[in-house]
Amino acid sequence: MVNVGEKPVTVRTAVAAGRVTVNSGTFALIKSGGMKKGDVLATAQIAGIMAAKHTPDIIPMCHPILIDGIDIRLTLNEARCCVDIVSEVSCTGHTGVEMEALTAASAAALTVYDMCKAVQKDIIISDIHLLEKTGGVHGDFTAE
């Protein structure tokens, strides 16, 4: 692992996003709460939070950090027939939280897939990416 002990302690945030595209029947079941496994969006939100907290357990060389906050937002995009996911993670520390935000978005997307796979096999998970990050010696970043 990279030694981050010499880096300054700063407030750091990261925002990541992802998308799960489904067919109209699956979308209707998600929207109505009709999936057999339960509330897709609430379960995916919890999964994203849990994943962010356990990022160093599943990503090699990732530092365990004290997370100050995690916010996972899942919204239904009727025009695209998808679930849009945005995860925001913050901490005050020596290293950033980009991996935690990306892991949270990924786990939330995988959870949507898992909860819907009984009714649709060709679900598409896409667009997992970092939207922005703040803090640290490398400065701020915002995706174009």
Side-chain angles (χ1 to χ4, degrees), residues 21-71:
T21 304
V22 296
N23 63 34
S24 59
T26 302
F27 188 86
L29 286 169
I30 294 169
K31 187 175 180 179
S32 70
M35 284 294 172
K36 283 189 177 183
K37 284 190 170 186
D39 186 332
V40 173
L41 302 182
T43 305
Q45 182 182 42
I46 293 166
I49 291 167
M50 291 174 64
K53 292 166 61 172
H54 289 280
T55 299
D57 296 333
I58 58 175
I59 306 294
M61 310 303 170
C62 199
H63 290 85
I65 59 174
L66 295 174
I67 295 173
D68 294 334
I70 305 168
D71 183 31

Side-chain angles (χ1 to χ4, degrees), residues 69-87:
I70 305 168
D71 183 31
I72 312 289
R73 296 181 301 279
L74 293 100
T75 55
L76 294 173
N77 183 330
E78 199 145 8
R80 292 187 160 198
C81 209
C82 67
V83 178
D84 288 324
I85 301 162
V86 175
S87 64

Side-chain angles (χ1 to χ4, degrees), residues 4-19:
V4 296
E6 299 293 319
K7 292 170 100 177
V9 172
T10 62
V11 173
R12 297 160 184 269
T13 64
V15 181
R19 173 170 288 146

